[in-house]
Amino acid sequence: MPASPPMFPGFDGLLTLSRREGVDVRPTLLRVLTDLYVQAPNHTIDEEKQFVELTARLIDQVDDATRAAVRARLSIYPNTPRAILNRLNLLPTEPGQSVPLAQPISAAESPAPPVKQPSEAQMRVAANMAMAPRDASEISTLFFAASSSERAQILHNLAETPLRSSARIPQARAARAMHILEMAAFAEDRDNFARELSEALMLPAAIAEQVVSDPGGEPLACCAKALGMRSDIFQRVLLFLNPEFGTSVTNVYRIARMYDVLSERSALIMVAAWRGAHMAATRAKFRPALYDDERQRARPSVQQARLSVQPGVDITRVTRNSSGR
């Protein structure tokens, strides 16, 4: 008796072609195999064996969306092979049941939904909306003009204010920034340090340079806390970046104590204030023009008297008479 033709001819040839051409056809093949299998209510032993062999090779090689679609399709098919049920974590059909059931998943084992990280554009929009520019400008100006003790008091009070802070920097971006900042501090490269600080915290370049060059160290402490930098790393960064600061034991002890008690919220509020202060300065520079500005700036034109000249009159004689000659 001649052997029946295989249910899925050419399968191995398609996989070989896909590997040679660099096109991944495995998700499509698995969907097609499943659709063909569930179209028939019953299958022979050879057909079931071939389906199990082919499907088992593909289930672990396709994306989650394809695997979920195949799992849903086979979960309502009454004759799904037991090996595939186990592979897809499905329970076999009990007597009296029309479809196999999925195994129960406890609340502790259910994976938490992935948190989508905001894009760069979304972070910049959120940064611009964190605080009103006028309030931000006042806080920034007051902080930079204050003494060390006054700055510590300002930061302590900011934690209790209803001001909206800036969003946290994504952990991967903050880790990369801290590594670059530490290397730049060891090399005493203030320019690259300020540039990386500006990019990581989305601060204006002028503000980042002012933070780096500030002799007190409090602005730098706010930026480091906003990035989540550890206390020991911050102390090393501060000492290497500004060697003059390390000559005073009192300064080092003071800024180290302040950094340990500095809250993340206060640091993020200061970051939001520096961003908003730049917006306030930009708006003040580019003030919108009023509708009558051109009229106010225009010079008054000197009206020249028009000479009334009748047709046929000598213009030279009229001009000479009007000038008194």
Side-chain angles (χ1 to χ4, degrees):
M1 180 177 180
S4 60
M7 185 179 181
F8 312 107
F11 177 82
D12 292 328
L14 287 175
L15 284 181
T16 304
L17 180 63
S18 68
R19 287 192 291 266
R20 185 170 64 247
E21 298 296 333
V23 179
D24 188 7
V25 298
R26 290 172 297 183
T28 304
L29 287 177
L30 182 58
R31 289 176 182 267
V32 172
L33 288 174
T34 305
D35 291 339
L36 291 175
Y37 192 79
V38 300
Q39 285 177 5
N42 298 301
H43 295 279
T44 65
I45 297 178
D46 292 338
E47 289 176 349
E48 179 177 332
K49 181 179 179 181
Q50 185 184 18
F51 176 75
V52 170
E53 291 178 353
L54 299 179
T55 305
R57 292 165 58 183
L58 293 174
I59 285 178
D60 296 331
Q61 300 177 0
V62 298
D63 55 281
D64 293 339
T66 301
R67 190 181 302 108
V70 170
R71 186 177 189 271
R73 193 72 184 270
L74 293 177
S75 66
I76 61 176
Y77 183 67
N79 293 322
T80 301
R82 180 177 293 271
I84 301 301
L85 290 175
N86 297 334
R87 201 66 172 268
L88 294 175
N89 200 25
L90 293 171
L91 293 177
T93 305
E94 298 293 338
Q97 293 180 351
S98 58
V99 297
L101 301 177
Q103 294 182 0
I105 301 176
S106 62
E109 297 177 354
S110 58
V115 179
K116 184 178 180 181
Q117 295 293 342
S119 63
E120 189 75 11
Q122 292 173 336
M123 290 180 61
R124 293 190 180 276
V125 171
N128 294 337
M129 297 174 60
M131 190 181 302
R134 183 176 179 180
D135 297 337
S137 179
E138 292 178 357
I139 294 174
S140 177
T141 302
L142 179 65
F143 184 79
F144 278 117
S147 61
S148 298
S149 59
E150 292 171 343
R151 287 178 175 181
Q153 188 64 34
I154 291 173
L155 294 174
H156 176 74
N157 294 334
L158 283 178
E160 305 299 330
T161 61
L163 293 173
R164 182 180 174 185
S165 63
S166 62
R168 290 180 177 177
I169 306 300
Q171 185 176 3
R173 180 65 181 93
R176 181 162 63 93
M178 287 187 288
H179 177 72
I180 296 175
L181 292 174
E182 189 173 6
M183 294 300 100
F186 287 164
E188 298 185 22
D189 190 350
R190 296 193 178 189
D191 292 338
N192 282 329
F193 190 97
R195 187 179 301 109
E196 179 61 25
L197 203 65
S198 174
E199 294 178 359
L201 294 176
M202 289 175 288
L203 293 175
I207 294 293
E209 293 175 359
Q210 188 175 4
V211 168
V212 173
S213 60
D214 186 89
E218 292 86 2
L220 186 60
C222 293
C223 293
K225 182 68 72 169
L227 290 171
M229 186 178 293
R230 296 203 319 263
S231 178
D232 56 331
I233 298 178
F234 168 70
Q235 294 177 24
R236 292 199 301 268
V237 167
L238 184 64
L239 294 177
F240 280 99
L241 187 66
N242 188 3
E244 295 83 4
F245 187 87
T247 58
S248 174
V249 179
T250 304
N251 287 338
V252 175
Y253 182 75
R254 174 184 57 80
I255 201 69
R257 287 282 305 273
M258 191 215 73
Y259 190 80
D260 290 338
V261 299
L262 177 62
S263 67
E264 181 188 41
R265 171 173 168 77
S266 298
L268 291 175
I269 290 178
M270 283 307 310
V271 171
W274 289 328
R275 293 170 179 169
H278 178 70
M279 291 183 59
T282 304
R283 291 182 181 181
K285 182 184 298 184
F286 299 100
R287 181 178 60 89
L290 301 177
Y291 75 97
D292 59 345
D293 275 0
E294 294 295 333
R295 183 181 302 176
Q296 298 294 335
R297 291 197 299 264
R299 294 181 179 179
S301 59
V302 179
Q303 297 181 355
Q304 297 180 355
R306 295 183 178 179
L307 299 178
S308 178
V309 181
Q310 298 297 328
V313 179
D314 188 358
I315 297 179
T316 306
R317 183 181 301 174
V318 174
T319 306
R320 183 182 300 115
N321 293 337
S322 61
S323 60
R325 297 181 181 177

